[in-house]
Amino acid sequence: MNGVFWVLLIGVGLAAPYLVYPVFAMKLLCFALFACAFNLLLGYTGLLSFGHAAFFGGAAYITGHVIKVMHMDPLIGILAGTLFAMVLGAIFGALAIRRQGIYFAMITLALAQIIFFLALKLPFTGGENGLQGIPRGHMLGFIDLNDPVAIYYVVFAIFMIGFLIIYRTIHSPFGQILTAIRENEPRARSLGYNVERFKLIAFVISATLAGTAGATKSIIFQFASLTDVHWQMSGEVVLMTLLGGMGTLFGPVAGAAVVITMQDELASFGSWVQVAIGAIFVVCVLIFRRGFVGELARLLKAKSS
């Protein structure tokens, strides 16, 4: 089954700019990477964070500032945003991983609100107007990011690199230990594993890749705004992960595709779009308790047995 998903992912990814509006496809890839990064923490480590918007949006601001004000190469801007998210993830993780359950979630939310406040008040962020007019320029001096097809394939390459990092992490001994911690933390601790250290590493990896997604998004849309660091963004990535299938490799990609498509198609509803998405989410969770991909995997497994 994984082989089929790989073929679909790569095939659809390569053909996407010729099938749909490239900006829509790039937005989907950014949020798919964001959801996959979050799923590494929730689905495979068992840690529910309500503060991942801090890494996503914080990296977007840093990338925009590096490119617009410091006139650096877009690749340097993305790397700077990713590095910021990694450092911020290490700080947040060190403060939060000593708590579990709702306490962990609330700590991450509180820390993320600090980043939101800084984004609102610091002069270089543009306040409520956001950081606008981020130039795309030329990556590495020769890739024209103003060309929709060229920038799409750059975004697709970044997504695939991030996705492969997640895939390798999940299927490594380190990933197996994360799963053991999720299933039975006291037992993992009794086997001699430093649970806090493994949780912290998983948190940092998740935050770093979330930052990469946010940094890439800022170049695509050429701005970074308070929406990127708002708590609602953290809620959206939870929604994407649960819809697609928590703890599945391809589930967050499917969940991101569903949510972004609904937001685009239901945009005419205005502020009611969130109500519509919420209602659809409730129905989907009741029908597909394991998410779309999770339920599909269960049905295929039942048929094969």
Side-chain angles (χ1 to χ4, degrees), residues 262-273:
M262 285 196 301
Q263 289 178 343
D264 184 67
E265 294 297 325
L266 301 176
S268 59
F269 284 88
S271 59
W272 285 93
V273 65

Side-chain angles (χ1 to χ4, degrees), residues 56-218:
F56 183 82
Y61 276 108
I62 295 299
T63 296
H65 181 76
V66 168
I67 295 174
K68 180 180 180 180
V69 178
M70 302 176 67
H71 307 291
M72 302 296 287
D73 187 282
L75 180 60
I76 300 298
I78 292 174
L79 292 175
T82 300
L83 179 61
F84 170 80
M86 182 176 69
V87 173
L88 190 65
I91 296 171
F92 280 19
L95 294 171
I97 60 170
R98 299 182 185 278
R99 297 293 180 267
Q100 297 179 349
I102 190 64
Y103 302 105
F104 174 86
M106 290 299 100
I107 289 174
T108 56
L109 175 61
L111 292 171
Q113 287 302 102
I114 295 175
I115 301 301
F116 176 83
F117 178 79
L118 292 175
L120 180 63
K121 295 298 183 182
L122 290 176
F124 83 91
T125 63
E128 294 182 354
N129 296 321
L131 184 60
Q132 303 181 24
I134 300 171
R136 289 179 176 175
H138 289 71
M139 182 174 284
L140 300 176
F142 67 92
I143 303 176
D144 184 8
L145 298 185
N146 292 304
D147 179 357
V149 176
I151 189 175
Y152 170 80
Y153 283 114
V154 169
V155 173
F156 181 63
I158 292 172
F159 166 78
M160 287 304 301
I161 291 171
F163 191 77
L164 288 171
I165 290 172
I166 294 171
Y167 175 83
R168 185 69 190 94
T169 300
I170 292 169
H171 292 87
S172 68
F174 173 77
Q176 298 302 312
I177 294 171
L178 293 182
T179 303
I181 293 172
R182 179 196 67 191
E183 296 296 331
N184 195 326
E185 183 175 327
R187 186 172 184 179
R189 198 183 300 274
S190 69
L191 291 174
Y193 294 113
N194 188 334
V195 171
E196 280 73 24
R197 182 166 66 90
F198 282 100
K199 283 183 178 180
L200 178 59
I201 295 173
F203 194 97
V204 172
I205 295 173
S206 178
T208 301
L209 293 175
T212 303
T216 307
K217 177 180 176 289
S218 70

Side-chain angles (χ1 to χ4, degrees), residues 17-91:
Y18 304 102
L19 300 175
V20 297
Y21 188 46
V23 173
F24 172 79
M26 287 186 284
K27 180 180 180 182
L28 196 156
L29 287 174
C30 287
F31 279 97
L33 179 57
F34 187 23
C36 288
F38 179 78
N39 185 50
L40 177 64
L41 192 65
L42 176 61
Y44 290 95
T45 315
L47 296 175
L48 174 59
S49 168
F50 280 135
H52 258 51
F55 314 122
F56 183 82
Y61 276 108
I62 295 299
T63 296
H65 181 76
V66 168
I67 295 174
K68 180 180 180 180
V69 178
M70 302 176 67
H71 307 291
M72 302 296 287
D73 187 282
L75 180 60
I76 300 298
I78 292 174
L79 292 175
T82 300
L83 179 61
F84 170 80
M86 182 176 69
V87 173
L88 190 65
I91 296 171

